[in-house]
Amino acid sequence: GSYSLKFEQTALVFGMLANTFAAFKGSENKKLMSDKGIAERFGGVGNQFAVTQIIGFFLCLPIMFLTEGDMLNTFIDKLSNSTQLQFNLVMSGLCFYLYNELATMTLKVTGPVTASVANTAKRVIVMVYMAAVTGKVLTDEQKIGAGVAICGVLLYSVVDDILKSEKTKTS
């Protein structure tokens, strides 16, 4: 049947940019982890992740001021008057930080592409799980998107296993 797309183009563009930079960050973190001299100077994966987050924060500041700068006073007013917003902001940041630190530690064991594929699978699993918990019926587009993502993850895993076995045979 006919349907209408309901999305904000700016959100789509920034979402795609965020995913691109997240993959780049994962790739660069993996390179840093394999360099023993840098790894020793950082003193561990957790410190490396913290430095990466701080650099990322400062790189995002100009974009934030450019796109949302006119709302800064409104945000500060709401933040100073709402304890619920303060709590939610701290908890959201803490959970996001811990999740990403865990992802960085996982990256040490896996590769950046594997981590990216696992992240895609995680999003699909969360979407399907939340639909099941809330009882919300997924739209046809969401079902197709989830199916494509799951098939992509499966295809990647199969091809990766084939390539690894080929590489083992030639070694």
Side-chain angles (χ1 to χ4, degrees):
S2 66
Y3 61 92
S4 63
L5 292 177
K6 296 177 185 173
F7 67 91
E8 169 62 35
Q9 190 169 2
T10 306
L12 176 66
V13 169
F14 279 108
M16 290 179 357
L17 281 172
N19 285 335
T20 301
F21 283 115
F24 177 73
K25 179 181 82 172
S27 176
E28 292 303 307
N29 274 335
K30 183 66 173 180
K31 288 178 193 175
L32 285 174
M33 282 186 254
S34 62
D35 186 331
K36 297 297 179 198
I38 292 175
E40 286 176 17
R41 285 185 290 213
F42 271 121
V45 177
N47 291 340
Q48 177 184 335
F49 175 73
V51 169
T52 304
Q53 286 299 105
I54 291 167
I55 292 170
F57 171 75
F58 284 113
L59 288 174
C60 288
L61 279 177
I63 297 169
M64 190 257 327
F65 284 119
L66 182 68
T67 58
E68 300 290 335
D70 56 335
M71 297 299 293
L72 186 60
N73 288 334
T74 305
F75 172 73
I76 291 171
D77 288 341
K78 287 184 180 185
L79 183 62
S80 62
N81 295 324
S82 173
T83 56
Q84 184 178 8
L85 177 60
Q86 294 166 1
F87 176 79
N88 288 343
L89 194 61
V90 168
M91 291 308 296
S92 172
L94 183 62
C95 289
F96 186 72
Y97 182 86
L98 292 173
Y99 159 76
N100 278 296
E101 184 154 349
L102 177 65
T104 302
M105 289 178 184
T106 303
L107 185 63
K108 187 175 183 178
V109 180
T110 65
V113 176
T114 304
S116 181
V117 169
N119 196 30
T120 301
K122 174 205 67 169
R123 290 176 184 176
V124 170
I125 291 166
V126 167
M127 182 181 73
V128 171
Y129 175 77
M130 287 309 298
V133 168
T134 61
K136 179 183 173 201
V137 178
L138 294 175
T139 65
D140 291 339
E141 292 83 8
Q142 289 171 322
K143 290 175 189 174
I144 291 169
V148 168
I150 290 169
C151 289
V153 169
L154 176 64
L155 182 63
Y156 169 80
S157 298
V158 169
V159 169
D160 191 43
D161 285 344
I162 291 171
L163 292 176
K164 281 182 184 175
S165 64
E166 290 293 323
K167 191 175 183 180
T168 306
K169 288 179 186 176
T170 59
S171 296

